[in-house]
Amino acid sequence: MAAVGSIRTIPWSWYTDPAVLELERAGIFRHSWQYVGRQDELAEPGSFLATRVADVPVVLVRDEDGTLRAFLNVCRHRGSVLCEGSGKRSTIQCPYHAWTYGLDGSLRSAPRLANESDADQAELGLVALPLDTWGPLVFVNPDPEAGPLSELLGGLPERVAAAGVDLASLRFLQRSESELDCNWKISAENFLECYHCQVAHPGFSAVMDVSPDAYLLEADGGRMSQQSPPRPEPRGSYDPSGEVERGQFHLLFPGTVVNVMPGRPNFSIGPIVPIDAEHTYRFLDYFVAADVDRSWIEEALAFDAQVGSEDRALVERVQAGVRAGLIDAGRLLPESERLIAHFQSLVVDALG
Protein backbone atom coordinates (compact mmCIF):
# COMPACT_ATOMS: atom_id res chain seq x y z
CA MET A 1 0.00 0.00 0.00
CA ALA A 2 1.23 3.46 -0.85
CA ALA A 3 2.19 5.78 1.97
CA VAL A 4 -0.48 8.12 3.24
CA GLY A 5 -0.45 11.37 1.33
CA SER A 6 1.42 9.98 -1.69
CA ILE A 7 -1.50 10.15 -4.16
CA ARG A 8 -1.84 13.46 -5.94
CA THR A 9 -5.23 14.57 -7.16
CA ILE A 10 -5.86 15.69 -10.71
CA PRO A 11 -4.88 19.35 -11.23
CA TRP A 12 -7.21 21.72 -9.42
CA SER A 13 -7.46 23.78 -12.59
CA TRP A 14 -9.55 20.93 -14.01
CA TYR A 15 -12.35 22.00 -11.66
CA THR A 16 -12.55 25.52 -13.09
CA ASP A 17 -11.33 25.43 -16.70
CA PRO A 18 -14.15 25.52 -19.32
CA ALA A 19 -11.81 23.90 -21.85
CA VAL A 20 -11.44 20.84 -19.61
CA LEU A 21 -15.21 20.56 -19.31
CA GLU A 22 -15.55 20.56 -23.10
CA LEU A 23 -13.05 17.70 -23.26
CA GLU A 24 -15.05 15.84 -20.60
CA ARG A 25 -18.30 16.32 -22.45
CA ALA A 26 -16.76 15.00 -25.65
CA GLY A 27 -14.60 12.27 -24.14
CA ILE A 28 -16.73 11.10 -21.20
CA PHE A 29 -20.40 12.09 -21.21
CA ARG A 30 -20.93 11.44 -24.92
CA HIS A 31 -19.72 7.86 -24.45
CA SER A 32 -21.40 6.96 -21.17
CA TRP A 33 -24.66 5.49 -19.94
CA GLN A 34 -26.69 7.86 -17.80
CA TYR A 35 -30.01 7.45 -16.02
CA VAL A 36 -32.69 9.63 -17.66
CA GLY A 37 -36.08 8.53 -16.32
CA ARG A 38 -38.64 5.82 -15.66
CA GLN A 39 -40.49 3.48 -17.97
CA ASP A 40 -43.81 4.42 -16.39
CA GLU A 41 -43.35 7.96 -17.70
CA LEU A 42 -43.78 6.41 -21.16
CA ALA A 43 -46.36 3.78 -20.32
CA GLU A 44 -48.56 4.06 -23.43
CA PRO A 45 -47.84 4.07 -27.18
CA GLY A 46 -47.42 7.65 -28.31
CA SER A 47 -45.83 8.80 -25.05
CA PHE A 48 -42.79 11.07 -25.27
CA LEU A 49 -40.38 12.62 -22.77
CA ALA A 50 -37.76 15.27 -23.51
CA THR A 51 -34.62 14.93 -21.41
CA ARG A 52 -30.82 15.32 -21.65
CA VAL A 53 -27.64 13.32 -21.26
CA ALA A 54 -25.27 16.04 -20.03
CA ASP A 55 -25.46 18.64 -22.83
CA VAL A 56 -27.06 16.28 -25.37
CA PRO A 57 -30.82 16.86 -25.90
CA VAL A 58 -32.69 13.55 -26.01
CA VAL A 59 -36.30 12.58 -26.62
CA LEU A 60 -37.67 9.24 -25.43
CA VAL A 61 -40.73 7.82 -27.16
CA ARG A 62 -42.84 4.69 -27.01
CA ASP A 63 -43.85 3.93 -30.58
CA GLU A 64 -47.09 2.45 -31.88
CA ASP A 65 -45.79 -1.08 -31.33
CA GLY A 66 -44.88 -0.34 -27.71
CA THR A 67 -41.13 -0.20 -28.34
CA LEU A 68 -39.21 2.27 -26.19
CA ARG A 69 -36.81 4.38 -28.26
CA ALA A 70 -34.37 7.25 -27.76
CA PHE A 71 -33.50 9.85 -30.36
CA LEU A 72 -31.33 12.92 -30.52
CA ASN A 73 -33.90 15.66 -29.89
CA VAL A 74 -32.67 17.67 -32.87
CA CYS A 75 -34.29 18.29 -36.25
CA ARG A 76 -32.26 17.07 -39.25
CA HIS A 77 -33.12 20.24 -41.17
CA ARG A 78 -31.56 23.19 -39.32
CA GLY A 79 -30.89 21.80 -35.86
CA SER A 80 -33.86 23.03 -33.85
CA VAL A 81 -34.69 21.20 -30.64
CA LEU A 82 -37.90 19.32 -31.39
CA CYS A 83 -39.71 18.55 -28.14
CA GLU A 84 -40.07 19.95 -24.65
CA GLY A 85 -41.72 18.42 -21.63
CA SER A 86 -43.73 15.22 -21.95
CA GLY A 87 -47.08 14.01 -23.22
CA LYS A 88 -48.59 11.97 -26.04
CA ARG A 89 -48.42 12.46 -29.81
CA SER A 90 -48.60 10.38 -32.95
CA THR A 91 -45.71 12.20 -34.66
CA ILE A 92 -42.88 14.57 -33.74
CA GLN A 93 -43.07 17.86 -35.60
CA CYS A 94 -40.38 20.52 -35.62
CA PRO A 95 -41.80 23.89 -34.47
CA TYR A 96 -39.48 25.73 -36.88
CA HIS A 97 -40.36 24.46 -40.38
CA ALA A 98 -42.78 21.60 -39.64
CA TRP A 99 -40.55 18.73 -40.64
CA THR A 100 -42.49 15.78 -39.24
CA TYR A 101 -41.12 12.49 -37.95
CA GLY A 102 -42.79 9.22 -37.03
CA LEU A 103 -42.28 7.69 -33.61
CA ASP A 104 -39.93 5.22 -35.29
CA GLY A 105 -37.72 8.22 -36.16
CA SER A 106 -38.44 8.23 -39.91
CA LEU A 107 -39.03 11.52 -41.70
CA ARG A 108 -42.68 11.46 -42.73
CA SER A 109 -43.01 14.86 -44.41
CA ALA A 110 -41.11 18.10 -44.98
CA PRO A 111 -42.71 21.08 -46.74
CA ARG A 112 -41.16 21.77 -50.20
CA LEU A 113 -38.46 19.13 -49.73
CA ALA A 114 -39.50 17.09 -52.79
CA ASN A 115 -39.69 20.18 -55.03
CA GLU A 116 -36.51 21.94 -53.98
CA SER A 117 -34.05 19.22 -52.96
CA ASP A 118 -32.74 15.93 -54.23
CA ALA A 119 -32.12 14.77 -50.64
CA ASP A 120 -33.21 11.22 -49.85
CA GLN A 121 -36.02 11.50 -47.32
CA ALA A 122 -35.18 8.03 -46.02
CA GLU A 123 -31.75 9.27 -44.91
CA LEU A 124 -33.09 12.24 -42.95
CA GLY A 125 -34.71 10.45 -40.03
CA LEU A 126 -33.96 11.23 -36.40
CA VAL A 127 -30.64 10.04 -35.03
CA ALA A 128 -31.30 6.97 -32.86
CA LEU A 129 -29.39 6.63 -29.58
CA PRO A 130 -28.68 3.47 -27.58
CA LEU A 131 -31.31 2.91 -24.87
CA ASP A 132 -31.25 0.23 -22.20
CA THR A 133 -33.16 -0.49 -19.02
CA TRP A 134 -32.65 -1.83 -15.53
CA GLY A 135 -36.12 -2.91 -14.49
CA PRO A 136 -38.25 0.27 -14.47
CA LEU A 137 -35.20 2.53 -14.99
CA VAL A 138 -34.24 3.99 -18.38
CA PHE A 139 -30.66 4.77 -19.41
CA VAL A 140 -29.37 6.42 -22.60
CA ASN A 141 -25.88 6.60 -24.09
CA PRO A 142 -25.10 9.14 -26.85
CA ASP A 143 -22.47 6.82 -28.34
CA PRO A 144 -23.95 4.75 -31.20
CA GLU A 145 -21.26 2.12 -30.57
CA ALA A 146 -22.02 1.80 -26.86
CA GLY A 147 -21.77 -1.60 -25.23
CA PRO A 148 -24.70 -2.90 -23.18
CA LEU A 149 -25.69 -1.24 -19.93
CA SER A 150 -25.09 -4.56 -18.16
CA GLU A 151 -21.33 -4.11 -18.61
CA LEU A 152 -21.49 -0.98 -16.44
CA LEU A 153 -23.97 -2.35 -13.90
CA GLY A 154 -22.08 -5.60 -13.34
CA GLY A 155 -23.55 -7.33 -10.29
CA LEU A 156 -25.34 -4.22 -9.01
CA PRO A 157 -28.90 -5.40 -9.82
CA GLU A 158 -28.28 -8.65 -7.95
CA ARG A 159 -26.76 -6.78 -5.02
CA VAL A 160 -29.76 -4.47 -4.74
CA ALA A 161 -32.17 -7.41 -5.01
CA ALA A 162 -30.25 -9.39 -2.39
CA ALA A 163 -30.64 -6.47 0.02
CA GLY A 164 -34.42 -6.94 -0.11
CA VAL A 165 -35.20 -4.27 -2.69
CA ASP A 166 -37.42 -5.45 -5.58
CA LEU A 167 -37.31 -2.57 -8.04
CA ALA A 168 -40.32 -3.84 -9.97
CA SER A 169 -42.53 -3.66 -6.87
CA LEU A 170 -41.47 -0.21 -5.69
CA ARG A 171 -43.58 2.85 -6.36
CA PHE A 172 -42.17 6.16 -7.53
CA LEU A 173 -42.34 8.73 -4.76
CA GLN A 174 -40.86 12.01 -6.00
CA ARG A 175 -38.03 13.73 -7.85
CA SER A 176 -35.75 16.14 -6.00
CA GLU A 177 -33.74 18.64 -8.09
CA SER A 178 -30.85 20.91 -7.15
CA GLU A 179 -28.12 23.09 -8.59
CA LEU A 180 -24.72 23.32 -6.91
CA ASP A 181 -22.05 25.98 -7.24
CA CYS A 182 -19.29 23.47 -7.91
CA ASN A 183 -17.69 21.44 -10.68
CA TRP A 184 -19.43 18.11 -11.36
CA LYS A 185 -16.33 16.16 -10.32
CA ILE A 186 -16.31 17.79 -6.87
CA SER A 187 -19.90 16.64 -6.34
CA ALA A 188 -19.03 13.09 -7.48
CA GLU A 189 -15.88 12.92 -5.34
CA ASN A 190 -17.73 14.10 -2.26
CA PHE A 191 -20.19 11.24 -2.78
CA LEU A 192 -17.35 8.72 -3.11
CA GLU A 193 -15.98 8.95 0.42
CA CYS A 194 -17.27 8.96 3.97
CA TYR A 195 -13.97 10.16 5.44
CA HIS A 196 -15.81 13.46 5.98
CA CYS A 197 -18.95 11.93 7.52
CA GLN A 198 -17.92 11.92 11.19
CA VAL A 199 -17.16 15.65 11.05
CA ALA A 200 -19.59 16.97 8.48
CA HIS A 201 -22.61 14.63 8.82
CA PRO A 202 -23.27 14.16 12.55
CA GLY A 203 -26.85 13.02 11.96
CA PHE A 204 -25.82 10.44 9.36
CA SER A 205 -22.95 9.24 11.54
CA ALA A 206 -25.29 8.84 14.52
CA VAL A 207 -27.29 6.31 12.49
CA MET A 208 -24.67 4.64 10.25
CA ASP A 209 -21.41 2.99 11.25
CA VAL A 210 -18.85 5.09 9.36
CA SER A 211 -15.76 3.57 11.00
CA PRO A 212 -13.12 2.33 8.52
CA ASP A 213 -13.64 -1.31 9.51
CA ALA A 214 -17.41 -1.19 8.90
CA TYR A 215 -17.67 1.24 5.98
CA LEU A 216 -16.59 -0.84 2.98
CA LEU A 217 -15.30 0.52 -0.35
CA GLU A 218 -15.15 -1.32 -3.66
CA ALA A 219 -14.22 -0.32 -7.22
CA ASP A 220 -15.14 -2.50 -10.19
CA GLY A 221 -14.58 -0.83 -13.56
CA GLY A 222 -17.07 2.00 -13.89
CA ARG A 223 -18.92 1.08 -10.68
CA MET A 224 -17.72 2.49 -7.36
CA SER A 225 -19.54 1.18 -4.28
CA GLN A 226 -19.80 1.87 -0.56
CA GLN A 227 -21.58 -0.28 2.02
CA SER A 228 -22.31 0.31 5.67
CA PRO A 229 -24.46 -1.19 8.42
CA PRO A 230 -26.36 0.93 10.91
CA ARG A 231 -24.78 1.41 14.31
CA PRO A 232 -25.66 -1.34 16.82
CA GLU A 233 -27.63 1.27 18.74
CA PRO A 234 -28.47 3.98 16.21
CA ARG A 235 -29.60 7.31 17.52
CA GLY A 236 -30.97 10.38 15.84
CA SER A 237 -33.91 11.20 13.60
CA TYR A 238 -33.91 8.18 11.28
CA ASP A 239 -35.06 4.62 12.02
CA PRO A 240 -32.88 2.14 10.06
CA SER A 241 -34.73 -0.96 11.25
CA GLY A 242 -36.53 -3.01 8.64
CA GLU A 243 -36.07 -5.51 5.85
CA VAL A 244 -33.04 -3.72 4.37
CA GLU A 245 -30.17 -4.33 6.78
CA ARG A 246 -27.31 -2.35 5.21
CA GLY A 247 -26.89 0.89 3.35
CA GLN A 248 -25.32 0.78 -0.10
CA PHE A 249 -24.25 3.75 -2.18
CA HIS A 250 -22.97 3.42 -5.75
CA LEU A 251 -21.64 5.71 -8.46
CA LEU A 252 -21.90 4.53 -12.06
CA PHE A 253 -19.24 6.43 -14.00
CA PRO A 254 -19.36 9.23 -14.78
CA GLY A 255 -22.20 10.43 -12.58
CA THR A 256 -25.23 8.22 -11.94
CA VAL A 257 -25.79 7.90 -8.19
CA VAL A 258 -27.64 4.90 -6.70
CA ASN A 259 -28.64 4.79 -3.01
CA VAL A 260 -30.29 2.20 -0.79
CA MET A 261 -30.70 3.10 2.88
CA PRO A 262 -31.20 0.53 5.64
CA GLY A 263 -34.78 0.29 6.83
CA ARG A 264 -37.89 -0.19 4.77
CA PRO A 265 -37.45 -1.08 1.05
CA ASN A 266 -36.24 2.09 -0.68
CA PHE A 267 -34.14 3.18 -3.64
CA SER A 268 -33.01 6.45 -5.17
CA ILE A 269 -31.16 7.18 -8.40
CA GLY A 270 -30.12 10.22 -10.40
CA PRO A 271 -27.37 11.84 -12.45
CA ILE A 272 -24.68 14.40 -11.69
CA VAL A 273 -24.69 16.73 -14.71
CA PRO A 274 -22.29 19.58 -15.50
CA ILE A 275 -23.99 22.89 -16.30
CA ASP A 276 -20.69 24.70 -16.81
CA ALA A 277 -17.21 24.37 -15.33
CA GLU A 278 -18.32 25.59 -11.89
CA HIS A 279 -22.01 24.66 -11.70
CA THR A 280 -23.73 21.28 -11.50
CA TYR A 281 -27.31 20.05 -11.85
CA ARG A 282 -28.55 17.01 -9.97
CA PHE A 283 -31.79 15.16 -9.54
CA LEU A 284 -32.75 12.10 -7.52
CA ASP A 285 -35.77 9.92 -8.17
CA TYR A 286 -37.01 8.29 -4.95
CA PHE A 287 -38.82 4.95 -4.78
CA VAL A 288 -40.35 3.08 -1.82
CA ALA A 289 -42.31 -0.12 -1.24
CA ALA A 290 -46.05 0.26 -1.68
CA ASP A 291 -46.84 -0.50 1.96
CA VAL A 292 -44.34 1.88 3.60
CA ASP A 293 -46.14 4.24 5.98
CA ARG A 294 -46.04 7.96 5.39
CA SER A 295 -44.31 8.79 8.68
CA TRP A 296 -41.26 6.66 7.77
CA ILE A 297 -41.14 8.24 4.30
CA GLU A 298 -41.21 11.77 5.73
CA GLU A 299 -38.50 10.81 8.22
CA ALA A 300 -36.32 9.32 5.46
CA LEU A 301 -36.74 12.31 3.14
CA ALA A 302 -35.92 14.76 5.93
CA PHE A 303 -32.83 12.72 6.82
CA ASP A 304 -31.68 12.73 3.20
CA ALA A 305 -32.38 16.45 2.81
CA GLN A 306 -30.25 17.21 5.86
CA VAL A 307 -27.31 15.25 4.45
CA GLY A 308 -27.83 16.99 1.09
CA SER A 309 -27.79 20.42 2.70
CA GLU A 310 -24.56 19.61 4.52
CA ASP A 311 -23.00 18.28 1.30
CA ARG A 312 -23.95 21.44 -0.58
CA ALA A 313 -21.96 23.55 1.88
CA LEU A 314 -18.99 21.17 1.62
CA VAL A 315 -18.72 21.03 -2.17
CA GLU A 316 -19.24 24.76 -2.62
CA ARG A 317 -16.46 25.47 -0.11
CA VAL A 318 -14.15 23.16 -2.08
CA GLN A 319 -15.01 24.98 -5.30
CA ALA A 320 -14.20 28.31 -3.68
CA GLY A 321 -10.86 26.91 -2.53
CA VAL A 322 -9.70 25.39 -5.81
CA ARG A 323 -10.83 28.53 -7.67
CA ALA A 324 -8.11 30.52 -5.88
CA GLY A 325 -5.58 28.90 -8.19
CA LEU A 326 -2.52 29.16 -5.93
CA ILE A 327 -2.18 25.41 -5.26
CA ASP A 328 -1.64 23.00 -8.16
CA ALA A 329 -3.23 19.87 -6.71
CA GLY A 330 -4.30 18.12 -3.53
CA ARG A 331 -3.55 14.77 -1.88
CA LEU A 332 -5.68 11.68 -1.35
CA LEU A 333 -5.52 9.11 1.44
CA PRO A 334 -4.84 5.84 -0.40
CA GLU A 335 -7.41 3.79 1.54
CA SER A 336 -10.14 6.14 2.82
CA GLU A 337 -10.27 8.01 -0.51
CA ARG A 338 -9.38 5.22 -2.89
CA LEU A 339 -12.69 5.48 -4.76
CA ILE A 340 -11.84 9.08 -5.57
CA ALA A 341 -8.45 7.95 -6.85
CA HIS A 342 -10.19 5.34 -9.01
CA PHE A 343 -12.70 7.92 -10.28
CA GLN A 344 -9.93 10.35 -11.17
CA SER A 345 -8.05 7.61 -13.01
CA LEU A 346 -11.18 6.97 -15.11
CA VAL A 347 -11.39 10.69 -15.92
CA VAL A 348 -7.71 10.85 -16.91
CA ASP A 349 -7.97 7.69 -19.04
CA ALA A 350 -11.09 8.96 -20.82
CA LEU A 351 -9.40 12.26 -21.69
CA GLY A 352 -6.31 10.45 -23.00
Side-chain angles (χ1 to χ4, degrees):
M1 181 182 293
V4 171
S6 66
I7 300 178
R8 286 175 61 90
T9 68
I10 58 176
W12 282 357
S13 62
W14 287 23
Y15 299 107
T16 60
D17 189 344
V20 172
L21 176 59
E22 290 310 304
L23 292 174
E24 292 168 343
R25 283 174 168 161
I28 298 175
F29 286 93
R30 295 195 176 190
H31 301 279
S32 300
W33 289 104
Q34 187 152 297
Y35 172 73
V36 293
R38 313 181 314 274
Q39 289 209 53
D40 67 345
E41 295 179 274
L42 300 122
E44 300 177 5
S47 301
F48 79 93
L49 172 66
T51 183
R52 304 184 76 85
V53 175
D55 64 328
V56 178
V58 174
V59 59
L60 309 178
V61 301
R62 193 172 293 277
D63 68 17
E64 295 90 342
D65 297 326
T67 301
L68 193 59
R69 301 177 183 270
F71 298 106
L72 186 64
N73 189 15
V74 173
C75 183
R76 295 295 303 276
H77 174 214
R78 296 261 298 281
S80 173
V81 170
L82 294 164
C83 301
E84 297 178 350
S86 61
K88 287 190 68 177
R89 58 202 312 170
S90 58
T91 59
I92 296 173
Q93 186 175 80
C94 180
Y96 198 1
H97 298 95
W99 282 37
T100 303
Y101 303 87
L103 298 184
D104 61 354
S106 62
L107 179 62
R108 297 285 180 84
S109 65
R112 309 184 193 180
L113 180 65
N115 296 331
E116 297 189 27
S117 173
D118 59 0
D120 184 353
Q121 185 168 316
E123 296 180 354
L124 292 175
L126 298 179
V127 175
L129 301 177
L131 177 150
D132 211 336
T133 58
W134 169 17
L137 312 174
V138 181
F139 292 73
V140 171
N141 192 324
D143 184 354
E145 304 300 323
L149 175 64
S150 60
E151 292 181 355
L152 175 63
L153 296 179
L156 180 56
E158 291 76 16
R159 183 173 298 188
V160 169
V165 177
D166 177 12
L167 283 183
S169 69
L170 300 186
R171 64 182 176 91
F172 173 67
L173 184 63
Q174 68 178 42
R175 173 171 291 185
S176 174
E177 298 180 273
S178 60
E179 291 189 8
L180 305 171
D181 293 338
C182 71
N183 183 272
W184 74 275
K185 296 186 295 299
I186 289 176
S187 179
E189 291 166 6
N190 178 74
F191 176 81
L192 286 171
E193 51 94 352
C194 210
Y195 178 40
H196 70 279
C197 291
Q198 193 70 52
V199 174
H201 297 311
F204 182 87
S205 300
V207 173
M208 304 297 294
D209 189 343
V210 300
S211 63
D213 291 339
Y215 200 92
L216 305 180
L217 309 178
E218 176 191 353
D220 182 10
R223 176 180 58 80
M224 290 144 276
S225 300
Q226 305 165 77
Q227 293 190 73
S228 174
R231 290 186 177 277
E233 297 181 0
R235 57 195 187 279
S237 60
Y238 176 76
D239 178 10
S241 61
E243 302 95 312
V244 182
E245 297 180 353
R246 298 175 65 88
Q248 50 179 290
F249 317 102
H250 311 274
L251 183 78
L252 301 173
F253 188 77
T256 294
V257 167
V258 174
N259 301 302
V260 176
M261 284 294 293
R264 304 301 303 277
N266 70 96
F267 183 89
S268 63
I269 184 169
I272 299 172
V273 182
I275 298 173
D276 58 34
E278 298 195 57
H279 297 89
T280 296
Y281 167 72
R282 292 194 60 180
F283 75 77
L284 272 177
D285 282 349
Y286 292 85
F287 302 80
V288 293
D291 61 350
V292 174
D293 60 273
R294 188 65 205 179
S295 61
W296 189 90
I297 292 172
E298 291 175 353
E299 182 180 283
L301 291 175
F303 184 79
D304 198 62
Q306 179 61 40
V307 174
S309 176
E310 293 160 354
D311 277 333
R312 171 187 290 275
L314 297 174
V315 298
E316 293 183 352
R317 287 171 72 92
V318 172
Q319 188 67 40
V322 300
R323 186 187 300 125
L326 298 179
I327 300 175
D328 293 335
R331 297 293 189 275
L332 297 174
L333 300 188
E335 183 55 38
S336 297
E337 296 172 305
R338 64 190 179 94
L339 295 188
I340 297 178
H342 182 77
F343 170 83
Q344 294 192 355
S345 72
L346 294 177
V347 170
V348 171
D349 289 347
L351 300 188

